[in-house]
């Protein structure tokens, strides 16, 4: 589907074009069509692409893949938003790296609502228990929550997860200083379920396949 059409369909959510495993030229082509937000999963690949495309100074890069603690120092300050902060320990490491570099970092908290062992992220309960500690960490700005629901056949089955993420965000917001942690973003919905996510309040939809076609295998 064409970018314009999808952009209309996703409104009012922003589209994050997920360019993992896609060549830099495809990013450049979508940029020509007007796309500015791009999401990457793998640190090394992302940094290489940023370097190759450094002439496109108005691209906003987001990191959406699992981040290992020992790689935090490579990414801090290099991404507009890290969607995949999936543990208190990782948040602490990012905060320390910010301290050393004298920068601040915008993040989202990744939530694993279905409790799938194969997925990273806070359970809703752990997040609520650790919220005070998370929000006290210096140099971090928590812009909202991100989730990746179970892969199901239809949008109807994922809707409750999207609604739950919104409700969790709303609850956390009541005890949060939103001048520090705005909590206004909900990153949810991918190529096959983004219309449902938008109906449930997504502000960022993460779209790969529908924009770029099938991804090459990870080599
Ligand atoms: C790859 C990926 C996407 C994009 O998925 P598509 O089905 O290609 O739209 C979205 N979110 C995350 C976290 C991803 O890893």
């Amino acid at each position: 589907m064409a970018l314009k059409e999808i952009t209309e369909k996703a409104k009012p959510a922003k589209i994050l074009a997920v360019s993992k495993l896609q060549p830099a030229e495809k990013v450049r082509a979508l940029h020509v069509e007007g796309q500015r937000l791009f999401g990457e999963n793998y640190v090394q690949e992302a940094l290489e692409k940023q370097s190759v495309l450094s002439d496109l100074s108005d691209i906003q890069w987001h990191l959406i893949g699992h981040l290992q603690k020992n790689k935090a120092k490579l990414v801090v300050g290099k991404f507009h938003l890290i969607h995949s902060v999936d543990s208190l320990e990782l948040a602490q490491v990012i905060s320390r790296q910010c301290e050393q570099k004298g920068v601040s970092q915008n993040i989202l908290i990744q939530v694993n609502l279905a409790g799938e062992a194969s997925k990273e992220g806070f359970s809703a309960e752990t997040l609520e228990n650790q919220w005070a500690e998370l929000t006290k960490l210096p140099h971090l700005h928590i812009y909202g929550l991100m989730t990746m629901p179970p892969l199901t056949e239809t949008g109807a089955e994922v809707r409750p997860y999207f609604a739950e993420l919104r409700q969790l965000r709303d609850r956390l917001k009541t005890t949060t200083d939103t001048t520090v942690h705005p909590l206004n973003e909900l990153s949810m919905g991918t190529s096959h379920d983004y219309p449902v996510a938008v109906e449930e309040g997504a502000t960022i939809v993460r779209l790969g396949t529908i924009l770029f076609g099938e991804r090459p295998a990870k080599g």
Side-chain angles (χ1 to χ4, degrees), residues 29-61:
L30 214 57
H31 181 272
V32 169
E33 289 186 52
Q35 180 64 28
R36 293 295 178 266
L37 276 56
F38 289 87
E40 288 282 336
N41 287 60
Y42 311 109
V43 171
Q44 197 59 39
E45 180 190 347
L47 296 177
E48 280 170 25
K49 235 173 261 179
Q50 286 183 352
S51 162
V52 170
L53 298 168
S54 59
D55 58 309
L56 306 181
S57 56
D58 58 356
I59 282 193
Q60 207 184 80
W61 291 102

Short mmCIF file of all heavy atoms in Angstrom, two decimals, residues 29-61:
data_model
loop_
_atom_site.label_atom_id
_atom_site.label_comp_id
_atom_site.label_asym_id
_atom_site.label_seq_id
_atom_site.Cartn_x
_atom_site.Cartn_y
_atom_site.Cartn_z
N ALA A 29 14.34 6.11 -0.21
CA ALA A 29 13.18 6.22 -1.11
C ALA A 29 11.93 6.64 -0.35
O ALA A 29 11.14 7.47 -0.84
CB ALA A 29 12.96 4.88 -1.82
N LEU A 30 11.74 6.10 0.84
CA LEU A 30 10.55 6.46 1.62
C LEU A 30 10.68 7.89 2.15
O LEU A 30 9.68 8.60 2.29
CB LEU A 30 10.37 5.46 2.77
CG LEU A 30 8.94 5.13 3.17
CD1 LEU A 30 8.13 4.59 1.99
CD2 LEU A 30 8.91 4.13 4.31
N HIS A 31 11.89 8.29 2.44
CA HIS A 31 12.15 9.66 2.87
C HIS A 31 11.75 10.64 1.77
O HIS A 31 11.15 11.69 2.04
CB HIS A 31 13.62 9.81 3.25
CG HIS A 31 14.00 11.18 3.74
ND1 HIS A 31 14.39 12.20 2.88
CD2 HIS A 31 14.03 11.71 4.98
CE1 HIS A 31 14.64 13.29 3.59
NE2 HIS A 31 14.43 13.02 4.86
N VAL A 32 12.04 10.28 0.54
CA VAL A 32 11.65 11.13 -0.60
C VAL A 32 10.13 11.30 -0.65
O VAL A 32 9.61 12.37 -0.96
CB VAL A 32 12.17 10.53 -1.94
CG1 VAL A 32 11.55 11.24 -3.14
CG2 VAL A 32 13.69 10.60 -2.00
N GLU A 33 9.42 10.24 -0.26
CA GLU A 33 7.95 10.31 -0.24
C GLU A 33 7.41 11.10 0.96
O GLU A 33 6.20 11.29 1.08
CB GLU A 33 7.35 8.90 -0.21
CG GLU A 33 7.50 8.13 -1.50
CD GLU A 33 6.75 6.80 -1.42
OE1 GLU A 33 5.55 6.82 -1.07
OE2 GLU A 33 7.38 5.76 -1.67
N GLY A 34 8.31 11.47 1.87
CA GLY A 34 7.88 12.30 2.99
C GLY A 34 7.94 11.65 4.36
O GLY A 34 7.65 12.29 5.37
N GLN A 35 8.35 10.40 4.43
CA GLN A 35 8.43 9.72 5.72
C GLN A 35 9.65 10.21 6.51
O GLN A 35 10.74 10.35 5.93
CB GLN A 35 8.52 8.20 5.50
CG GLN A 35 8.62 7.37 6.76
CD GLN A 35 7.38 7.46 7.65
OE1 GLN A 35 6.27 7.70 7.17
NE2 GLN A 35 7.56 7.30 8.95
N ARG A 36 9.48 10.47 7.79
CA ARG A 36 10.59 11.00 8.59
C ARG A 36 10.95 10.13 9.80
O ARG A 36 12.06 10.23 10.31
CB ARG A 36 10.26 12.42 9.08
CG ARG A 36 10.18 13.45 7.95
CD ARG A 36 11.53 13.65 7.28
NE ARG A 36 11.47 14.58 6.17
CZ ARG A 36 11.30 14.23 4.89
NH1 ARG A 36 11.16 12.95 4.55
NH2 ARG A 36 11.28 15.14 3.94
N LEU A 37 10.03 9.33 10.30
CA LEU A 37 10.31 8.50 11.48
C LEU A 37 10.65 7.09 11.04
O LEU A 37 9.85 6.44 10.35
CB LEU A 37 9.08 8.45 12.40
CG LEU A 37 8.85 9.59 13.40
CD1 LEU A 37 8.80 10.93 12.72
CD2 LEU A 37 7.60 9.34 14.21
N PHE A 38 11.84 6.62 11.44
CA PHE A 38 12.28 5.28 11.08
C PHE A 38 12.70 4.51 12.33
O PHE A 38 13.36 5.07 13.20
CB PHE A 38 13.43 5.33 10.07
CG PHE A 38 12.98 5.79 8.70
CD1 PHE A 38 12.93 7.14 8.38
CD2 PHE A 38 12.56 4.86 7.75
CE1 PHE A 38 12.49 7.57 7.12
CE2 PHE A 38 12.12 5.28 6.49
CZ PHE A 38 12.08 6.63 6.18
N GLY A 39 12.32 3.22 12.38
CA GLY A 39 12.63 2.39 13.54
C GLY A 39 13.54 1.24 13.16
O GLY A 39 13.35 0.59 12.13
N GLU A 40 14.52 0.99 14.02
CA GLU A 40 15.47 -0.10 13.78
C GLU A 40 15.52 -1.02 15.00
O GLU A 40 15.27 -0.59 16.12
CB GLU A 40 16.88 0.48 13.53
CG GLU A 40 17.02 1.17 12.16
CD GLU A 40 17.19 0.17 11.02
OE1 GLU A 40 17.66 -0.96 11.28
OE2 GLU A 40 16.88 0.53 9.86
N ASN A 41 15.87 -2.29 14.77
CA ASN A 41 15.92 -3.28 15.84
C ASN A 41 17.32 -3.61 16.33
O ASN A 41 17.49 -3.96 17.49
CB ASN A 41 15.28 -4.60 15.39
CG ASN A 41 13.79 -4.50 15.29
OD1 ASN A 41 13.27 -3.68 14.53
ND2 ASN A 41 13.08 -5.31 16.06
N TYR A 42 18.28 -3.62 15.42
CA TYR A 42 19.60 -4.13 15.75
C TYR A 42 20.60 -2.98 15.78
O TYR A 42 20.72 -2.21 14.82
CB TYR A 42 20.01 -5.19 14.73
CG TYR A 42 18.91 -6.22 14.53
CD1 TYR A 42 18.18 -6.27 13.35
CD2 TYR A 42 18.58 -7.11 15.56
CE1 TYR A 42 17.15 -7.19 13.18
CE2 TYR A 42 17.55 -8.02 15.41
CZ TYR A 42 16.83 -8.06 14.21
OH TYR A 42 15.80 -8.95 14.06
N VAL A 43 21.32 -2.88 16.91
CA VAL A 43 22.15 -1.70 17.17
C VAL A 43 23.18 -1.46 16.07
O VAL A 43 23.27 -0.36 15.51
CB VAL A 43 22.84 -1.82 18.55
CG1 VAL A 43 23.86 -0.72 18.74
CG2 VAL A 43 21.79 -1.79 19.66
N GLN A 44 23.95 -2.51 15.74
CA GLN A 44 25.01 -2.35 14.75
C GLN A 44 24.45 -1.88 13.41
O GLN A 44 24.94 -0.92 12.80
CB GLN A 44 25.74 -3.69 14.58
CG GLN A 44 27.09 -3.55 13.90
CD GLN A 44 28.02 -2.64 14.68
OE1 GLN A 44 28.04 -2.68 15.92
NE2 GLN A 44 28.78 -1.79 13.99
N GLU A 45 23.40 -2.57 12.97
CA GLU A 45 22.77 -2.21 11.69
C GLU A 45 22.23 -0.78 11.72
O GLU A 45 22.38 -0.02 10.76
CB GLU A 45 21.62 -3.19 11.40
CG GLU A 45 20.91 -2.90 10.09
CD GLU A 45 19.62 -3.72 9.91
OE1 GLU A 45 19.39 -4.67 10.68
OE2 GLU A 45 18.86 -3.37 9.00
N ALA A 46 21.62 -0.42 12.83
CA ALA A 46 21.03 0.92 12.94
C ALA A 46 22.09 2.00 12.85
O ALA A 46 21.92 3.00 12.13
CB ALA A 46 20.28 1.04 14.27
N LEU A 47 23.21 1.79 13.55
CA LEU A 47 24.26 2.81 13.56
C LEU A 47 24.89 2.95 12.17
O LEU A 47 25.21 4.05 11.72
CB LEU A 47 25.32 2.50 14.62
CG LEU A 47 24.80 2.51 16.07
CD1 LEU A 47 25.90 2.12 17.04
CD2 LEU A 47 24.21 3.86 16.45
N GLU A 48 25.04 1.81 11.49
CA GLU A 48 25.58 1.86 10.13
C GLU A 48 24.66 2.63 9.21
O GLU A 48 25.08 3.46 8.40
CB GLU A 48 25.80 0.44 9.60
CG GLU A 48 27.09 -0.20 10.12
CD GLU A 48 27.18 -1.70 9.79
OE1 GLU A 48 26.54 -2.13 8.79
OE2 GLU A 48 27.88 -2.39 10.53
N LYS A 49 23.35 2.35 9.33
CA LYS A 49 22.38 3.04 8.47
C LYS A 49 22.35 4.54 8.76
O LYS A 49 22.27 5.37 7.85
CB LYS A 49 20.99 2.42 8.67
CG LYS A 49 20.36 1.95 7.36
CD LYS A 49 19.08 1.20 7.61
CE LYS A 49 19.32 -0.30 7.56
NZ LYS A 49 18.07 -1.06 7.82
N GLN A 50 22.43 4.88 10.04
CA GLN A 50 22.46 6.30 10.41
C GLN A 50 23.64 6.99 9.74
O GLN A 50 23.53 8.11 9.25
CB GLN A 50 22.58 6.47 11.93
CG GLN A 50 21.31 6.16 12.68
CD GLN A 50 21.45 6.41 14.18
OE1 GLN A 50 22.54 6.67 14.68
NE2 GLN A 50 20.35 6.31 14.90
N SER A 51 24.76 6.28 9.73
CA SER A 51 25.98 6.85 9.17
C SER A 51 25.86 7.02 7.65
O SER A 51 26.16 8.08 7.10
CB SER A 51 27.14 5.95 9.57
OG SER A 51 28.25 6.20 8.77
N VAL A 52 25.36 5.99 6.99
CA VAL A 52 25.20 6.04 5.53
C VAL A 52 24.20 7.14 5.12
O VAL A 52 24.34 7.75 4.06
CB VAL A 52 24.71 4.66 5.00
CG1 VAL A 52 24.29 4.74 3.54
CG2 VAL A 52 25.79 3.62 5.19
N LEU A 53 23.21 7.37 5.98
CA LEU A 53 22.13 8.31 5.64
C LEU A 53 22.27 9.64 6.39
O LEU A 53 21.29 10.37 6.55
CB LEU A 53 20.78 7.68 5.96
CG LEU A 53 20.44 6.41 5.16
CD1 LEU A 53 19.23 5.70 5.75
CD2 LEU A 53 20.18 6.75 3.69
N SER A 54 23.48 9.94 6.84
CA SER A 54 23.66 11.12 7.70
C SER A 54 23.31 12.42 6.98
O SER A 54 23.09 13.45 7.61
CB SER A 54 25.08 11.18 8.25
OG SER A 54 25.99 11.22 7.17
N ASP A 55 23.24 12.39 5.64
CA ASP A 55 22.84 13.60 4.91
C ASP A 55 21.35 13.91 5.10
O ASP A 55 20.92 15.03 4.88
CB ASP A 55 23.17 13.45 3.41
CG ASP A 55 22.51 12.24 2.78
OD1 ASP A 55 22.64 11.12 3.33
OD2 ASP A 55 21.85 12.40 1.73
N LEU A 56 20.57 12.91 5.49
CA LEU A 56 19.13 13.13 5.71
C LEU A 56 18.94 13.58 7.16
O LEU A 56 18.54 12.81 8.03
CB LEU A 56 18.33 11.85 5.43
CG LEU A 56 18.55 11.22 4.06
CD1 LEU A 56 17.68 9.98 3.90
CD2 LEU A 56 18.23 12.23 2.95
N SER A 57 19.23 14.85 7.40
CA SER A 57 19.35 15.31 8.79
C SER A 57 18.01 15.42 9.49
O SER A 57 17.96 15.57 10.71
CB SER A 57 20.07 16.66 8.81
OG SER A 57 19.38 17.56 7.98
N ASP A 58 16.90 15.34 8.75
CA ASP A 58 15.61 15.47 9.42
C ASP A 58 14.96 14.12 9.73
O ASP A 58 13.82 14.06 10.17
CB ASP A 58 14.65 16.35 8.62
CG ASP A 58 14.41 15.81 7.20
OD1 ASP A 58 15.06 14.80 6.82
OD2 ASP A 58 13.59 16.40 6.48
N ILE A 59 15.71 13.03 9.54
CA ILE A 59 15.17 11.72 9.96
C ILE A 59 15.18 11.64 11.48
O ILE A 59 16.11 12.09 12.13
CB ILE A 59 16.02 10.55 9.38
CG1 ILE A 59 15.68 10.32 7.91
CG2 ILE A 59 15.76 9.26 10.17
CD1 ILE A 59 16.23 9.01 7.37
N GLN A 60 14.11 11.07 12.02
CA GLN A 60 14.05 10.82 13.45
C GLN A 60 14.19 9.30 13.64
O GLN A 60 13.30 8.54 13.24
CB GLN A 60 12.69 11.29 13.95
CG GLN A 60 12.65 11.70 15.39
CD GLN A 60 11.24 12.07 15.82
OE1 GLN A 60 10.42 11.20 16.11
NE2 GLN A 60 10.95 13.36 15.87
N TRP A 61 15.33 8.87 14.23
CA TRP A 61 15.57 7.44 14.40
C TRP A 61 15.04 6.95 15.74
O TRP A 61 15.27 7.58 16.78
CB TRP A 61 17.08 7.14 14.33
CG TRP A 61 17.66 7.32 12.98
CD1 TRP A 61 18.42 8.39 12.55
CD2 TRP A 61 17.57 6.42 11.86
NE1 TRP A 61 18.79 8.20 11.24
CE2 TRP A 61 18.29 7.01 10.79
CE3 TRP A 61 16.96 5.18 11.66
CZ2 TRP A 61 18.41 6.39 9.54
CZ3 TRP A 61 17.08 4.57 10.42
CH2 TRP A 61 17.80 5.18 9.37
#
